[in-house]
Amino acid sequence: MTFEKTVGIPNVVLVQPSIYGNDNSCLLDALKAIGPHHGRGVVGIDPDAPVDSGMLKEWHELGVRGVRLNLKSTNVNFTEQSLQGMLEKYARIVKPLGWILELFIGMEDILVLEKVSGTLGVKLCIAHFGAPRLPPMHVRAQPFDPYDMHGFRALVSMLGRGDVWVKFSAAYRFDGDAEMRGIEAIARELLARAGDRVVFATDWPHTRFDGLDVRPFVERYLQWTDEAGLTEKVFTLNARELWDVGDQ
């Protein structure tokens, strides 16, 4: 919690790093230390392994509320059919617990995700603004229409369903522009279209960006949400709904 205190965050959601695979021991130990009053967790699991319902219930009591799928940085190859099959396996496991599926997926693949996810019956959370593939810098220097990006319209459509959220996180992974003009265009449109389905995340510990000062990014997020009149929703209320947090 030391880092979170530097940016004024009293409650956290810990997400299983891909490098740890399905070994959630570190995350679970951290949840035990934080306690369910201040902590939630998103784990990694093997959907083809036998389901241990007792273990999952124990995790739930610790604060686990979701399972993460990394379909982006792990270069998972999938078709519409195979993605649907994969998501259905996970959904069958998490649905009885009311957990979320958190997806790190490239925006170029969200159109496929939209086609196969509507009947899963579970909440989805899309990480990192939908992992956009931004146009060249000279294009972003001009008024930038995010709908020109393949997959953005599908992301907006999914957010309108009511069972899908998106994280405002890790802008620096996709936009090297100090002014963040590409991400800003995306953020403002998502706030305008689906402000009640946006949550903030720090992306700490900023893997591959050692020494990053995240505070300038947090300040920009606050600027965008303040101007949209959505700061309390994005930084507090939406997250409470998504991660099953009662009044504190």
Side-chain angles (χ1 to χ4, degrees):
M1 298 290 288
T2 302
F3 165 76
E4 284 71 21
K5 288 178 181 177
T6 68
V7 289
I9 296 175
N11 305 312
V12 296
V13 180
L14 305 175
V15 180
Q16 174 76 343
S18 298
I19 194 171
Y20 289 171
N22 297 325
D23 180 358
N24 300 287
S25 55
C26 183
L27 184 147
L28 296 171
D29 285 345
L31 284 179
K32 291 174 184 176
I34 296 170
H37 189 69
H38 291 290
R40 290 289 184 264
V42 179
V43 297
I45 63 172
D46 179 358
D48 295 315
V51 176
D52 185 337
S53 298
M55 180 185 69
L56 295 180
K57 289 179 181 178
E58 289 178 6
W59 290 2
H60 186 88
E61 291 175 1
L62 287 175
V64 173
R65 291 296 185 273
V67 170
R68 182 177 189 246
L69 288 74
N70 184 344
L71 304 172
K72 176 70 175 176
S73 63
T74 54
N75 297 315
V76 174
N77 294 316
F78 55 84
T79 63
E80 183 175 324
Q81 183 177 10
S82 66
L83 180 60
Q84 182 172 9
M86 183 192 313
L87 294 176
E88 287 175 349
K89 289 180 181 179
Y90 280 98
R92 282 193 291 269
I93 296 170
V94 305
K95 189 174 182 179
L97 295 154
W99 288 3
I100 293 111
L101 291 182
E102 178 167 328
L103 304 178
F104 182 23
I105 185 170
M107 190 170 290
E108 64 277 7
D109 293 317
I110 289 181
L111 184 59
V112 177
L113 178 63
E114 181 189 23
K115 292 178 181 178
V116 304
S117 64
T119 60
L120 294 174
V122 299
K123 295 176 181 178
L124 302 179
C125 182
I126 309 299
H128 302 340
F129 294 92
R133 185 176 294 170
L134 294 171
M137 197 74 73
H138 71 276
V139 175
R140 283 178 271 160
Q142 307 300 320
F144 168 55
D145 186 352
Y147 289 96
D148 289 340
M149 292 187 302
H150 184 67
F152 185 76
R153 193 174 301 274
L155 175 59
V156 172
S157 176
M158 288 184 68
L159 294 174
R161 290 188 342 208
D163 61 348
V164 180
W165 278 253
V166 64
K167 280 186 177 180
F168 274 17
S169 57
Y172 46 85
R173 296 189 184 275
F174 309 99
D175 194 346
D177 178 7
E179 299 298 320
M180 292 198 294
R181 284 167 287 194
I183 289 293
E184 179 176 357
I186 293 170
R188 290 190 182 279
E189 184 63 14
L190 293 178
L191 290 170
R193 295 286 184 175
D196 60 347
R197 288 294 177 264
V198 175
V199 295
F200 168 78
T202 65
D203 192 44
W204 181 85
H206 322 306
T207 53
R208 296 186 289 110
F209 289 82
D210 294 342
L212 176 79
D213 180 3
V214 77
R215 284 173 293 185
F217 296 96
V218 176
E219 290 169 0
R220 293 301 294 274
Y221 296 158
L222 284 168
Q223 175 190 340
W224 302 332
T225 56
D226 281 349
E227 291 175 4
L230 291 168
T231 298
E232 186 177 15
K233 275 186 168 290
V234 171
F235 281 82
T236 303
L237 300 181
N238 295 347
R240 286 183 178 178
E241 179 183 356
L242 177 61
W243 300 114
D244 182 31
V245 178
D247 293 336
Q248 298 186 9

Short mmCIF file of all heavy atoms in Angstrom, two decimals, residues 191-231:
data_model
loop_
_atom_site.label_atom_id
_atom_site.label_comp_id
_atom_site.label_asym_id
_atom_site.label_seq_id
_atom_site.Cartn_x
_atom_site.Cartn_y
_atom_site.Cartn_z
N LEU A 191 -15.48 8.75 -21.84
CA LEU A 191 -16.17 9.42 -20.74
C LEU A 191 -17.51 9.96 -21.20
O LEU A 191 -18.51 9.90 -20.46
CB LEU A 191 -15.31 10.55 -20.18
CG LEU A 191 -14.06 10.12 -19.40
CD1 LEU A 191 -13.18 11.33 -19.12
CD2 LEU A 191 -14.44 9.43 -18.10
N ALA A 192 -17.56 10.49 -22.42
CA ALA A 192 -18.81 11.04 -22.93
C ALA A 192 -19.83 9.95 -23.23
O ALA A 192 -21.04 10.15 -23.02
CB ALA A 192 -18.53 11.84 -24.21
N ARG A 193 -19.36 8.81 -23.68
CA ARG A 193 -20.27 7.74 -24.10
C ARG A 193 -20.63 6.76 -22.98
O ARG A 193 -21.71 6.18 -22.99
CB ARG A 193 -19.63 6.96 -25.25
CG ARG A 193 -19.43 7.75 -26.53
CD ARG A 193 -20.73 7.97 -27.23
NE ARG A 193 -20.55 8.66 -28.51
CZ ARG A 193 -21.53 8.88 -29.38
NH1 ARG A 193 -22.76 8.46 -29.10
NH2 ARG A 193 -21.30 9.52 -30.50
N ALA A 194 -19.70 6.55 -22.05
CA ALA A 194 -19.91 5.49 -21.06
C ALA A 194 -19.20 5.81 -19.75
O ALA A 194 -18.46 5.00 -19.22
CB ALA A 194 -19.42 4.16 -21.61
N GLY A 195 -19.44 7.00 -19.21
CA GLY A 195 -18.75 7.43 -18.00
C GLY A 195 -19.01 6.56 -16.80
O GLY A 195 -18.19 6.52 -15.87
N ASP A 196 -20.13 5.85 -16.78
CA ASP A 196 -20.42 4.98 -15.63
C ASP A 196 -19.82 3.60 -15.79
O ASP A 196 -20.05 2.72 -14.95
CB ASP A 196 -21.93 4.87 -15.42
CG ASP A 196 -22.67 4.30 -16.61
OD1 ASP A 196 -22.06 4.21 -17.70
OD2 ASP A 196 -23.86 3.94 -16.46
N ARG A 197 -19.04 3.38 -16.86
CA ARG A 197 -18.39 2.08 -17.08
C ARG A 197 -16.88 2.22 -17.22
O ARG A 197 -16.21 1.37 -17.79
CB ARG A 197 -18.98 1.41 -18.34
CG ARG A 197 -20.41 0.89 -18.14
CD ARG A 197 -20.43 -0.23 -17.13
NE ARG A 197 -21.76 -0.73 -16.83
CZ ARG A 197 -22.50 -0.35 -15.81
NH1 ARG A 197 -22.06 0.59 -15.00
NH2 ARG A 197 -23.69 -0.88 -15.59
N VAL A 198 -16.33 3.31 -16.67
CA VAL A 198 -14.89 3.57 -16.70
C VAL A 198 -14.35 3.51 -15.28
O VAL A 198 -14.94 4.09 -14.36
CB VAL A 198 -14.59 4.95 -17.32
CG1 VAL A 198 -13.10 5.27 -17.22
CG2 VAL A 198 -15.05 5.02 -18.77
N VAL A 199 -13.22 2.81 -15.09
CA VAL A 199 -12.55 2.80 -13.79
C VAL A 199 -11.08 3.17 -13.98
O VAL A 199 -10.50 2.92 -15.04
CB VAL A 199 -12.65 1.42 -13.09
CG1 VAL A 199 -14.09 1.09 -12.75
CG2 VAL A 199 -12.05 0.31 -13.95
N PHE A 200 -10.51 3.77 -12.96
CA PHE A 200 -9.10 4.16 -13.00
C PHE A 200 -8.23 3.06 -12.41
O PHE A 200 -8.63 2.37 -11.46
CB PHE A 200 -8.89 5.45 -12.20
CG PHE A 200 -7.45 5.76 -11.95
CD1 PHE A 200 -6.67 6.32 -12.94
CD2 PHE A 200 -6.86 5.49 -10.72
CE1 PHE A 200 -5.32 6.59 -12.72
CE2 PHE A 200 -5.52 5.76 -10.48
CZ PHE A 200 -4.75 6.31 -11.48
N ALA A 201 -7.04 2.87 -12.97
CA ALA A 201 -6.05 1.95 -12.41
C ALA A 201 -4.66 2.51 -12.63
O ALA A 201 -4.39 3.13 -13.66
CB ALA A 201 -6.18 0.57 -13.05
N THR A 202 -3.76 2.28 -11.66
CA THR A 202 -2.42 2.89 -11.73
C THR A 202 -1.46 2.13 -12.64
O THR A 202 -0.48 2.69 -13.10
CB THR A 202 -1.78 2.94 -10.33
OG1 THR A 202 -1.57 1.60 -9.87
CG2 THR A 202 -2.67 3.69 -9.35
N ASP A 203 -1.69 0.83 -12.84
CA ASP A 203 -0.76 -0.04 -13.56
C ASP A 203 0.55 -0.22 -12.80
O ASP A 203 1.54 -0.67 -13.37
CB ASP A 203 -0.48 0.47 -14.98
CG ASP A 203 0.23 -0.56 -15.85
OD1 ASP A 203 -0.15 -1.74 -15.82
OD2 ASP A 203 1.19 -0.18 -16.56
N TRP A 204 0.58 0.12 -11.54
CA TRP A 204 1.76 -0.14 -10.72
C TRP A 204 1.98 -1.64 -10.63
O TRP A 204 1.02 -2.40 -10.53
CB TRP A 204 1.54 0.45 -9.32
CG TRP A 204 2.70 0.26 -8.39
CD1 TRP A 204 3.80 1.05 -8.29
CD2 TRP A 204 2.88 -0.81 -7.46
NE1 TRP A 204 4.66 0.54 -7.35
CE2 TRP A 204 4.11 -0.61 -6.81
CE3 TRP A 204 2.13 -1.94 -7.11
CZ2 TRP A 204 4.60 -1.47 -5.84
CZ3 TRP A 204 2.61 -2.80 -6.15
CH2 TRP A 204 3.83 -2.56 -5.52
N PRO A 205 3.23 -2.15 -10.70
CA PRO A 205 4.52 -1.45 -10.58
C PRO A 205 5.15 -1.03 -11.92
O PRO A 205 6.37 -0.94 -12.02
CB PRO A 205 5.40 -2.49 -9.89
CG PRO A 205 4.89 -3.81 -10.41
CD PRO A 205 3.41 -3.63 -10.57
N HIS A 206 4.35 -0.80 -12.95
CA HIS A 206 4.84 -0.23 -14.21
C HIS A 206 5.96 -1.08 -14.83
O HIS A 206 7.04 -0.57 -15.15
CB HIS A 206 5.34 1.20 -14.02
CG HIS A 206 4.52 2.02 -13.07
ND1 HIS A 206 3.15 2.17 -13.21
CD2 HIS A 206 4.85 2.70 -11.94
CE1 HIS A 206 2.69 2.93 -12.22
NE2 HIS A 206 3.70 3.25 -11.44
N THR A 207 5.72 -2.36 -14.98
CA THR A 207 6.73 -3.26 -15.54
C THR A 207 7.21 -2.76 -16.90
O THR A 207 6.42 -2.31 -17.72
CB THR A 207 6.16 -4.68 -15.68
OG1 THR A 207 4.94 -4.64 -16.42
CG2 THR A 207 5.89 -5.30 -14.32
N ARG A 208 8.52 -2.87 -17.11
CA ARG A 208 9.22 -2.39 -18.30
C ARG A 208 9.31 -0.86 -18.35
O ARG A 208 9.79 -0.29 -19.34
CB ARG A 208 8.61 -2.93 -19.60
CG ARG A 208 8.72 -4.44 -19.75
CD ARG A 208 8.24 -4.94 -21.09
NE ARG A 208 6.80 -4.83 -21.22
CZ ARG A 208 6.19 -3.98 -22.02
NH1 ARG A 208 6.88 -3.13 -22.75
NH2 ARG A 208 4.87 -3.95 -22.08
N PHE A 209 8.82 -0.18 -17.32
CA PHE A 209 8.93 1.27 -17.23
C PHE A 209 9.47 1.64 -15.84
O PHE A 209 8.87 2.44 -15.12
CB PHE A 209 7.57 1.94 -17.47
CG PHE A 209 7.10 1.87 -18.90
CD1 PHE A 209 6.47 0.72 -19.37
CD2 PHE A 209 7.29 2.92 -19.78
CE1 PHE A 209 6.03 0.63 -20.68
CE2 PHE A 209 6.85 2.85 -21.09
CZ PHE A 209 6.22 1.70 -21.54
N ASP A 210 10.59 1.03 -15.49
CA ASP A 210 11.17 1.23 -14.16
C ASP A 210 11.42 2.71 -13.89
O ASP A 210 11.93 3.46 -14.74
CB ASP A 210 12.50 0.48 -14.03
CG ASP A 210 12.32 -1.03 -14.11
OD1 ASP A 210 11.18 -1.48 -13.91
OD2 ASP A 210 13.30 -1.74 -14.37
N GLY A 211 11.05 3.13 -12.68
CA GLY A 211 11.29 4.51 -12.28
C GLY A 211 10.26 5.50 -12.79
O GLY A 211 10.42 6.71 -12.58
N LEU A 212 9.22 5.01 -13.42
CA LEU A 212 8.19 5.91 -13.96
C LEU A 212 7.51 6.68 -12.83
O LEU A 212 7.14 6.10 -11.81
CB LEU A 212 7.14 5.09 -14.72
CG LEU A 212 5.95 5.90 -15.24
CD1 LEU A 212 6.33 6.64 -16.51
CD2 LEU A 212 4.76 5.00 -15.51
N ASP A 213 7.33 7.96 -13.03
CA ASP A 213 6.53 8.78 -12.12
C ASP A 213 5.13 8.84 -12.70
O ASP A 213 4.88 9.50 -13.71
CB ASP A 213 7.13 10.18 -12.01
CG ASP A 213 6.33 11.08 -11.07
OD1 ASP A 213 5.35 10.59 -10.46
OD2 ASP A 213 6.67 12.27 -10.96
N VAL A 214 4.20 8.13 -12.07
CA VAL A 214 2.86 8.01 -12.62
C VAL A 214 1.99 9.23 -12.29
O VAL A 214 0.92 9.41 -12.88
CB VAL A 214 2.18 6.72 -12.11
CG1 VAL A 214 1.71 6.89 -10.68
CG2 VAL A 214 1.02 6.30 -13.01
N ARG A 215 2.46 10.09 -11.41
CA ARG A 215 1.61 11.20 -10.97
C ARG A 215 1.19 12.13 -12.11
O ARG A 215 0.03 12.59 -12.12
CB ARG A 215 2.31 11.97 -9.86
CG ARG A 215 2.24 11.24 -8.51
CD ARG A 215 3.05 11.90 -7.45
NE ARG A 215 4.48 11.81 -7.74
CZ ARG A 215 5.43 12.21 -6.92
NH1 ARG A 215 5.12 12.74 -5.75
NH2 ARG A 215 6.70 12.08 -7.24
N PRO A 216 2.05 12.45 -13.09
CA PRO A 216 1.57 13.29 -14.19
C PRO A 216 0.41 12.65 -14.96
O PRO A 216 -0.50 13.35 -15.41
CB PRO A 216 2.81 13.44 -15.09
CG PRO A 216 3.96 13.26 -14.15
CD PRO A 216 3.51 12.24 -13.17
N PHE A 217 0.43 11.31 -15.09
CA PHE A 217 -0.67 10.63 -15.76
C PHE A 217 -1.94 10.71 -14.93
O PHE A 217 -3.03 10.93 -15.46
CB PHE A 217 -0.30 9.18 -16.04
CG PHE A 217 0.85 9.02 -17.00
CD1 PHE A 217 2.14 8.83 -16.53
CD2 PHE A 217 0.65 9.08 -18.37
CE1 PHE A 217 3.20 8.71 -17.41
CE2 PHE A 217 1.70 8.95 -19.25
CZ PHE A 217 2.98 8.76 -18.77
N VAL A 218 -1.79 10.53 -13.61
CA VAL A 218 -2.95 10.63 -12.73
C VAL A 218 -3.56 12.03 -12.82
O VAL A 218 -4.78 12.20 -12.87
CB VAL A 218 -2.57 10.30 -11.28
CG1 VAL A 218 -3.76 10.49 -10.34
CG2 VAL A 218 -2.04 8.88 -11.17
N GLU A 219 -2.71 13.04 -12.88
CA GLU A 219 -3.20 14.42 -12.97
C GLU A 219 -3.97 14.65 -14.27
O GLU A 219 -4.99 15.34 -14.28
CB GLU A 219 -2.02 15.39 -12.87
CG GLU A 219 -1.40 15.43 -11.48
CD GLU A 219 -0.09 16.19 -11.43
OE1 GLU A 219 0.35 16.68 -12.50
OE2 GLU A 219 0.50 16.28 -10.33
N ARG A 220 -3.51 14.04 -15.36
CA ARG A 220 -4.24 14.19 -16.62
C ARG A 220 -5.58 13.48 -16.55
O ARG A 220 -6.60 13.98 -17.04
CB ARG A 220 -3.41 13.63 -17.78
CG ARG A 220 -2.15 14.41 -18.10
CD ARG A 220 -2.45 15.88 -18.45
NE ARG A 220 -3.19 16.02 -19.68
CZ ARG A 220 -2.64 16.08 -20.90
NH1 ARG A 220 -1.33 16.00 -21.02
NH2 ARG A 220 -3.39 16.23 -21.97
N TYR A 221 -5.60 12.28 -15.96
CA TYR A 221 -6.87 11.57 -15.80
C TYR A 221 -7.84 12.41 -14.98
O TYR A 221 -9.04 12.49 -15.29
CB TYR A 221 -6.65 10.23 -15.10
CG TYR A 221 -5.80 9.22 -15.84
CD1 TYR A 221 -5.16 8.20 -15.14
CD2 TYR A 221 -5.61 9.29 -17.21
CE1 TYR A 221 -4.37 7.27 -15.79
CE2 TYR A 221 -4.82 8.37 -17.87
CZ TYR A 221 -4.20 7.36 -17.16
OH TYR A 221 -3.42 6.44 -17.82
N LEU A 222 -7.33 13.03 -13.91
CA LEU A 222 -8.18 13.87 -13.07
C LEU A 222 -8.71 15.06 -13.86
O LEU A 222 -9.87 15.46 -13.71
CB LEU A 222 -7.40 14.35 -11.85
CG LEU A 222 -7.19 13.33 -10.74
CD1 LEU A 222 -6.17 13.83 -9.73
CD2 LEU A 222 -8.51 13.02 -10.04
N GLN A 223 -7.87 15.62 -14.71
CA GLN A 223 -8.30 16.76 -15.54
C GLN A 223 -9.46 16.34 -16.44
O GLN A 223 -10.49 17.03 -16.51
CB GLN A 223 -7.13 17.26 -16.39
CG GLN A 223 -7.52 18.36 -17.37
CD GLN A 223 -6.41 18.67 -18.36
OE1 GLN A 223 -5.25 18.35 -18.14
NE2 GLN A 223 -6.77 19.28 -19.48
N TRP A 224 -9.29 15.19 -17.13
CA TRP A 224 -10.34 14.75 -18.06
C TRP A 224 -11.64 14.42 -17.32
O TRP A 224 -12.72 14.78 -17.78
CB TRP A 224 -9.87 13.51 -18.84
CG TRP A 224 -8.61 13.73 -19.61
CD1 TRP A 224 -8.15 14.90 -20.14
CD2 TRP A 224 -7.63 12.74 -19.95
NE1 TRP A 224 -6.94 14.70 -20.78
CE2 TRP A 224 -6.61 13.40 -20.68
CE3 TRP A 224 -7.53 11.37 -19.72
CZ2 TRP A 224 -5.50 12.71 -21.18
CZ3 TRP A 224 -6.42 10.69 -20.21
CH2 TRP A 224 -5.42 11.35 -20.93
N THR A 225 -11.53 13.74 -16.20
CA THR A 225 -12.74 13.35 -15.47
C THR A 225 -13.39 14.56 -14.80
O THR A 225 -14.62 14.64 -14.73
CB THR A 225 -12.45 12.26 -14.43
OG1 THR A 225 -11.43 12.70 -13.52
CG2 THR A 225 -12.00 10.97 -15.11
N ASP A 226 -12.59 15.51 -14.31
CA ASP A 226 -13.15 16.73 -13.72
C ASP A 226 -13.96 17.49 -14.76
O ASP A 226 -15.08 17.94 -14.49
CB ASP A 226 -12.03 17.63 -13.18
CG ASP A 226 -11.50 17.17 -11.83
OD1 ASP A 226 -12.13 16.29 -11.21
OD2 ASP A 226 -10.45 17.70 -11.40
N GLU A 227 -13.39 17.63 -15.95
CA GLU A 227 -14.07 18.38 -17.00
C GLU A 227 -15.35 17.68 -17.45
O GLU A 227 -16.30 18.33 -17.90
CB GLU A 227 -13.13 18.60 -18.18
CG GLU A 227 -11.99 19.56 -17.86
CD GLU A 227 -10.98 19.69 -18.98
OE1 GLU A 227 -11.20 19.08 -20.06
OE2 GLU A 227 -9.97 20.40 -18.79
N ALA A 228 -15.39 16.35 -17.30
CA ALA A 228 -16.60 15.60 -17.66
C ALA A 228 -17.56 15.46 -16.49
O ALA A 228 -18.66 14.92 -16.65
CB ALA A 228 -16.21 14.21 -18.16
N GLY A 229 -17.17 15.96 -15.30
CA GLY A 229 -18.00 15.83 -14.12
C GLY A 229 -18.13 14.39 -13.64
O GLY A 229 -19.15 14.01 -13.06
N LEU A 230 -17.07 13.58 -13.83
CA LEU A 230 -17.15 12.15 -13.55
C LEU A 230 -16.04 11.64 -12.63
O LEU A 230 -15.82 10.43 -12.55
CB LEU A 230 -17.09 11.37 -14.88
CG LEU A 230 -18.30 11.51 -15.79
CD1 LEU A 230 -17.99 10.95 -17.18
CD2 LEU A 230 -19.51 10.80 -15.19
N THR A 231 -15.35 12.54 -11.95
CA THR A 231 -14.21 12.10 -11.14
C THR A 231 -14.61 11.11 -10.06
O THR A 231 -13.95 10.08 -9.88
CB THR A 231 -13.51 13.32 -10.52
OG1 THR A 231 -13.00 14.16 -11.57
CG2 THR A 231 -12.35 12.88 -9.63
#
